[in-house]
């Protein structure tokens, strides 16, 4: 499976990375952050394309130099140490003493430049943020740090003055605008390339609301509907059937 395909929600086959305003801003901001080896916070609601934009940008800007750490629940500094140790492929066993682990991590982070991405950063505690600052502040480490998180990420990081004062760029990722939906969704997936513009607007107004993850889900259901209806182009009947699978009320 291609890298880009894996990065789309539901591993949606044939989905494309589209140059939305948010993605272009992410690319430009990350380019500047990497140049100064600074910190960045990319935040926004679920499903608006934060992780996809981050991956697409760093695939071009820092190939082979990106270290990704993702949290599924509230981490402790020891979790960050362990995940970084694994992602950096440091030889040998993880030392039992935190100080020894830190020395190895700093040594690895000094060998070459790294873009360290901390995904779902809204879960991080004050101790975790302080640990990140400790690594970044070290004279020998050669890193930029990119915090990526949900809508609460901005508020959580702003509560940490020692860290937030060091953030070089704050970027809020927003849903697609109406004009972006009309322009980019036909290029996002072949299923929409021949769809009526009114049908694309209908989908966005009633179900997707500019959310890329919602568009991925709707696209996957639409592909199933097209197979069952033995047709190639979605129509209102198929779209209403898709809506019936999403839950909620869609008039």
């Amino acid at each position: 499976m291609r890298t880009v395909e894996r990065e789309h929600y539901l591993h949606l086959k044939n989905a494309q990375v589209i140059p939305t305003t948010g993605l272009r801003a992410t690319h430009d901001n990350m380019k500047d952050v990497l140049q100064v080896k600074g910190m960045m916070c990319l935040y926004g609601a679920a499903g608006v394309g934060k992780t996809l934009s981050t991956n697409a940008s760093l695939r071009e800007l820092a190939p082979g130099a990106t270290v990704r750490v993702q949290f599924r629940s509230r981490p402790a500094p020891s979790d960050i140490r362990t995940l970084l140790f694994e992602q950096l492929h440091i030889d040998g066993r993880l030392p039992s003493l935190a100080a020894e682990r830190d020395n190895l991590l700093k040594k690895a982070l000094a060998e070459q430049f790294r873009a360290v991405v901390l995904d779902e950063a809204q879960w991080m505690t004050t101790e975790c943020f302080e640990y990140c600052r400790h690594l970044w502040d070290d004279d020998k480490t050669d890193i930029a740090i990119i915090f990526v998180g949900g809508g609460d990420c901005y508020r959580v990081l702003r509560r940490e003055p020692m860290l937030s004062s060091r953030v070089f760029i704050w970027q809020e990722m927003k849903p697609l605008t109406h004009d972006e939906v009309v322009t980019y969704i036909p290029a996002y997936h072949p299923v929409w390339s021949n769809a009526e513009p009114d049908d694309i607007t209908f989908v966005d107004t009633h179900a997707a609301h500019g959310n890329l993850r919602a568009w991925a889900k709707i696209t996957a259901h639409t592909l199933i509907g097209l197979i069952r209806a033995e047709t190639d182009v979605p129509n209102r009947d198929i779209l209403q059937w898709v809506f019936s699978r999403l839950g909620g009320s869609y008039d």
Side-chain angles (χ1 to χ4, degrees), residues 54-102:
T54 297
N55 291 343
S57 298
L58 291 177
R59 188 164 48 246
E60 176 185 337
L61 297 171
T66 300
V67 178
R68 294 177 178 85
V69 178
Q70 186 170 21
F71 307 113
R72 299 298 182 184
S73 60
R74 191 172 294 277
S78 59
D79 297 316
I80 298 177
R81 288 188 183 96
T82 300
L83 289 170
L84 283 174
F85 199 93
E86 293 172 354
Q87 291 298 313
L88 291 167
H89 305 293
I90 298 174
D91 293 334
R93 297 179 60 183
L94 185 68
S96 57
L97 295 179
E100 293 179 3
R101 275 177 275 176
D102 287 349

Side-chain angles (χ1 to χ4, degrees), residues 4-206:
V4 173
E5 185 176 306
R6 279 202 308 272
E7 291 172 1
H8 283 279
Y9 180 60
L10 299 175
H11 296 173
L12 187 62
K13 187 176 181 180
N14 296 323
Q16 302 298 313
V17 177
I18 50 179
T20 64
T21 301
L23 189 149
R24 295 196 305 271
T26 300
H27 180 278
D28 291 345
N29 288 337
M30 287 190 178
K31 182 178 180 180
D32 294 339
V33 166
L34 298 184
Q35 184 173 0
V36 301
K37 301 180 180 181
M39 292 188 188
M40 174 177 173
C41 175
L42 178 64
Y43 64 98
V48 294
K50 301 182 299 294
T51 299
L52 183 66
S53 295
T54 297
N55 291 343
S57 298
L58 291 177
R59 188 164 48 246
E60 176 185 337
L61 297 171
T66 300
V67 178
R68 294 177 178 85
V69 178
Q70 186 170 21
F71 307 113
R72 299 298 182 184
S73 60
R74 191 172 294 277
S78 59
D79 297 316
I80 298 177
R81 288 188 183 96
T82 300
L83 289 170
L84 283 174
F85 199 93
E86 293 172 354
Q87 291 298 313
L88 291 167
H89 305 293
I90 298 174
D91 293 334
R93 297 179 60 183
L94 185 68
S96 57
L97 295 179
E100 293 179 3
R101 275 177 275 176
D102 287 349
N103 287 335
L104 285 176
L105 284 176
K106 290 177 183 178
K107 181 179 179 181
L109 292 172
E111 291 173 351
Q112 70 172 83
F113 172 74
R114 304 279 187 174
V116 179
V117 180
L118 297 152
D119 208 350
E120 302 296 347
Q122 71 273 9
W123 293 111
M124 293 172 63
T125 62
T126 295
E127 292 75 18
C128 290
F129 288 126
E130 283 299 300
Y131 183 67
C132 291
R133 183 174 68 85
H134 170 71
L135 291 178
W136 186 79
D137 275 347
D138 190 276
D139 290 338
K140 296 184 179 61
T141 58
D142 189 15
I143 60 175
I145 295 181
I146 300 165
F147 298 100
V148 181
D152 286 345
C153 191
Y154 176 86
R155 177 179 55 82
V156 171
L157 262 70
R158 281 295 191 188
R159 288 200 311 240
E160 309 295 335
M162 294 293 286
L163 182 73
S164 65
S165 65
R166 288 165 167 77
V167 174
F168 184 57
I169 293 178
W170 301 83
Q171 179 188 339
E172 181 180 9
M173 184 73 79
K174 298 180 179 180
L176 301 180
T177 65
H178 171 73
D179 288 343
E180 285 184 305
V181 167
V182 173
T183 301
Y184 292 121
I185 290 303
Y188 166 64
H189 194 280
V191 74
W192 305 113
S193 60
N194 295 319
E196 293 292 333
D198 287 348
D199 287 337
I200 292 175
T201 299
F202 176 76
V203 171
D204 197 61
T205 300
H206 293 276

